[in-house]
């Protein structure tokens, strides 16, 4: 009954959206010609188009068994020069003029700050399972891709600005695993609470912490922003961490225990996350690092914080993150690959290195740590999910000049492809191993 209703509803919804977007793109320019000085209306119209396109693609990919966030990322790419700019350049130029792009960038930064704050809040180390396996997975799953990525950067300086910062950043970019998207994939596969699922989530969580710490060191070591002094930036960053551990974290614990008003607590946490983001921007780091650090300091296991996280997550994922995806799409141009065969070879090389080293590093290290062969194959497959975290890191790299537009485009495509392939590959590996053997049953039913 529901399926039949869905079959009847979807064509009408899609048809209505096509008419709406088409009418806006056809007659919108004429409408705004009479009001060329109305930037607010143009910004609001652009936001509406972004949200519409991203959520439609998210809903479509969800029906094909993919995480909705992947569809939203693809929706952002469609609005950029890779699709809309290629098929209809005039409409893209009208839809995203420079003032609108500036406003969208600020809104996207706010979305990233909230997202990274929530990611810090979700960073848990109380369910590590086998610490030996998790430690080996993180070491192999990040170490091998990092070394290989640095080697690619040394061999292909055309991807970035050169120098030590570029080499270190590119190695880090290939070693990312996205915790939020991986968690969604594990839920969809029905293995989130199994030994394998807990190991994968724990490895991704620890890896995220290591990655953001490493990025902090790279930014502080290059001194590209803020104070401009490497020593000053490193000293201020270290001081901020010490103050967070010794002062802010106990204060937040006392606040959560004593404040009964959910609204007051919500406002305090949001203000703290944004304030920390501003501080890290001033001292020479990226704002998302401050938001992540503040999120890590927030107490866990409290109903109030859980409710606040759910409220913020709905708003950030539904409204703010699509604006970030649109910004990524507007900075990504697949046409850069088509200019020469060498660029396509670089893309294939980076994709192969990222996939193979992540699979071999995470899966191989887990096997050496004692995980069964079948579980090691699955874990290596899962850790290849790069998702939104890779996009955030790639955007930071472009902003600070570690990578150029070609390098950024390749990293974005690697993130999309590896994320889209994680679920199907995981199902294929599971099906090939069989579902009825005693080993399979133990893996899918054992709790940590």
């Amino acid at each position: 009954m529901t399926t039949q209703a869905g079959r009847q509803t979807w064509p009408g919804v899609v048809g209505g959206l096509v008419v709406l977007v088409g009418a806006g793109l056809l007659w919108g320019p004429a409408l705004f010609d009479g009001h060329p000085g109305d930037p607010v209306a143009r910004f609001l119209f652009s936001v509406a188009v972004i949200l519409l396109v991203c959520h439609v693609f998210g809903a479509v990919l969800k029906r094909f068994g993919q995480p909705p966030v992947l569809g939203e990322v693809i929706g952002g790419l469609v609005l950029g020069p890779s699709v809309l700019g290629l098929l209809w350049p005039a409409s893209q130029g009208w839809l995203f003029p420079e003032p609108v792009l500036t406003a969208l960038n600020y809104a996207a930064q706010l979305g990233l700050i909230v997202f990274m704050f929530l990611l810090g809040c979700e960073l848990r180390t109380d369910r590590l399972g086998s610490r030996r396996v998790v430690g080996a997975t993180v070491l192999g799953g990040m170490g091998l891709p990092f070394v290989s990525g640095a080697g690619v950067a040394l061999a292909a300086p055309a991807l970035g600005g050169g120098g030590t910062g570029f080499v270190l950043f590119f190695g880090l970019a290939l070693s990312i695993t996205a915790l939020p998207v991986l968690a969604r994939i594990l839920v969809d596969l029905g293995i989130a609470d199994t030994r394998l699922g807990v190991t994968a989530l724990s490895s991704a969580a620890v890896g995220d912490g290591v990655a953001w710490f490493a990025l902090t060191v790279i930014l502080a070591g290059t001194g590209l922003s803020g104070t401009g002094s490497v020593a000053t930036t490193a000293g201020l960053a270290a001081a901020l961490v010490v103050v967070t551990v010794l002062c802010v974290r106990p204060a937040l614990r006392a606040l959560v225990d004593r404040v009964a008003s959910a609204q007051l607590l919500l406002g305090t946490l949001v203000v703290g996350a944004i304030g920390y983001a501003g501080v890290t921007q001033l001292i020479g780091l990226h704002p998302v690092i401050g938001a992540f650090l503040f999120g890590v300091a927030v107490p866990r296991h409290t109903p109030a914080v859980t409710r606040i996280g759910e409220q913020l997550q709905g708003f950030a994922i539904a409204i703010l993150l699509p604006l970030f995806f649109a910004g990524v799409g507007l900075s990504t141009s697949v046409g850069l690959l088509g200019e020469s065969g060498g660029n396509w070879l670089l893309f294939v090389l980076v994709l192969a290195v990222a996939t193979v080293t992540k699979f071999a590093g995470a899966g191989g290290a887990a096997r050496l740590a004692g995980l069964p062969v079948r579980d090691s194959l699955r874990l290596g497959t899962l850790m290849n999910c790069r998702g939104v975290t890779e996009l955030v890191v790639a955007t930071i790299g472009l902003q600070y000049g570690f990578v150029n537009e070609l390098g950024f485009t390749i990293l974005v495509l690697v993130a999309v492809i590896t994320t889209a392939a994680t679920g199907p590959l995981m199902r294929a590996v599971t099906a090939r191993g069989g579902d009825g053997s005693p080993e399979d049953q133990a893996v899918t039913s054992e709790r940590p």
Side-chain angles (χ1 to χ4, degrees):
M1 195 175 199
T2 304
T3 304
Q4 181 64 26
R7 281 197 292 263
Q8 293 174 351
T9 303
W10 266 93
V13 171
V14 174
L17 292 176
V18 170
V19 171
L20 178 63
V21 174
L25 292 175
L26 285 173
W27 291 301
L31 177 64
F32 278 101
D33 282 344
H35 306 277
D38 195 346
V40 174
R42 181 162 290 190
F43 170 75
L44 294 175
F45 184 79
S46 299
V47 169
V49 171
I50 290 170
L51 296 180
L52 176 64
V53 172
C54 288
H55 285 302
V56 167
F57 274 87
V60 170
L61 261 71
K62 183 179 180 180
R63 291 175 66 87
F64 287 95
Q66 291 285 355
V69 67
L70 182 62
E72 294 171 10
V73 172
I74 294 176
L77 294 176
V78 167
L79 292 173
S82 299
V83 180
L84 183 61
L86 182 65
L87 301 178
W88 198 357
S91 66
Q92 190 198 30
W94 171 82
L95 191 60
F96 301 112
E98 193 60 36
V100 170
L101 287 178
T102 301
L104 286 174
N105 180 62
Y106 289 140
Q109 289 296 319
L110 181 61
L112 275 183
I113 289 170
V114 176
F115 174 76
M116 291 302 300
F117 164 70
L118 293 173
L119 188 60
C121 290
E122 294 173 359
L123 184 64
R124 296 176 56 180
T125 57
D126 58 322
R127 294 182 63 193
L128 286 179
S130 172
R131 285 171 170 79
R132 180 182 177 184
V133 174
V134 171
T137 302
V138 173
L139 181 61
M142 296 192 71
L144 185 58
F146 179 86
V147 173
S148 303
V152 170
L154 287 172
L159 296 173
T164 304
F166 161 60
V167 173
L168 296 176
F169 174 84
F170 205 83
L172 178 64
L174 296 194
S175 64
I176 295 294
T177 296
L179 175 62
V181 182
L182 177 61
R184 174 69 190 192
I185 291 175
L186 291 173
V187 171
D188 291 342
L189 293 172
I191 59 173
D193 290 328
T194 65
R195 181 181 62 191
L196 177 64
V198 170
T199 300
L201 279 179
S202 300
S203 301
V206 175
D208 267 8
V210 172
W212 291 114
F213 175 77
L215 183 60
T216 302
V217 172
I218 293 173
L219 291 175
T222 55
L224 293 176
S225 64
T227 63
S229 168
V230 174
T232 302
T233 300
L236 290 174
L240 181 63
V241 172
V242 172
V243 170
T244 302
V245 174
L246 298 181
C247 302
V248 176
R249 185 164 187 159
L252 288 175
R253 167 59 68 183
L255 179 71
V256 170
D257 290 342
R258 296 178 185 178
V259 173
S261 172
Q263 183 175 1
L264 178 59
L265 186 58
L266 171 63
T268 302
L269 293 180
V270 171
V271 168
I274 296 175
Y276 255 63
V279 169
T280 52
Q281 172 71 18
L282 285 176
I283 67 177
L285 307 175
H286 197 274
V288 299
I289 295 175
F292 180 80
L293 178 61
F294 186 79
V296 171
V298 173
R300 271 73 166 159
H301 313 298
T302 58
V305 173
T306 301
R307 286 195 301 271
I308 289 173
E310 292 173 350
Q311 295 171 358
L312 285 176
Q313 190 175 48
F315 177 73
I317 292 178
I319 306 298
L320 296 178
L321 269 186
L323 303 183
F324 167 68
F325 297 147
V328 171
L330 291 171
S331 301
T332 304
S333 177
V334 180
L336 292 175
L337 299 178
E339 294 179 355
S340 71
N343 289 345
W344 280 102
L345 288 176
L346 276 178
F347 164 62
V348 173
L349 173 65
V350 173
L351 178 61
V353 168
T355 304
V356 173
T357 58
K358 193 74 168 177
F359 179 82
R367 179 70 186 101
L368 292 176
L371 203 65
V373 174
R374 190 171 299 157
D375 284 1
S376 300
L377 294 175
R378 294 170 176 173
L379 186 60
T381 302
L382 289 170
M383 299 307 290
N384 251 306
C385 176
R386 288 173 170 83
V388 181
T389 308
E390 173 82 337
L391 298 182
V392 176
V393 171
T395 302
I396 294 173
L398 181 64
Q399 177 182 343
Y400 284 91
F402 290 124
V403 294
N404 54 26
E405 291 185 355
L406 174 61
F408 176 78
T409 297
I410 289 177
L411 289 177
V412 169
L413 293 178
V414 167
V416 172
I417 293 172
T418 55
T419 304
T422 299
L425 286 177
M426 184 64 183
R427 295 184 183 94
V429 171
T430 301
R432 185 176 181 181
D435 296 324
S437 68
E439 182 182 351
D440 274 325
Q441 293 173 1
V443 170
T444 56
S445 62
E446 182 178 344
R447 303 271 172 172

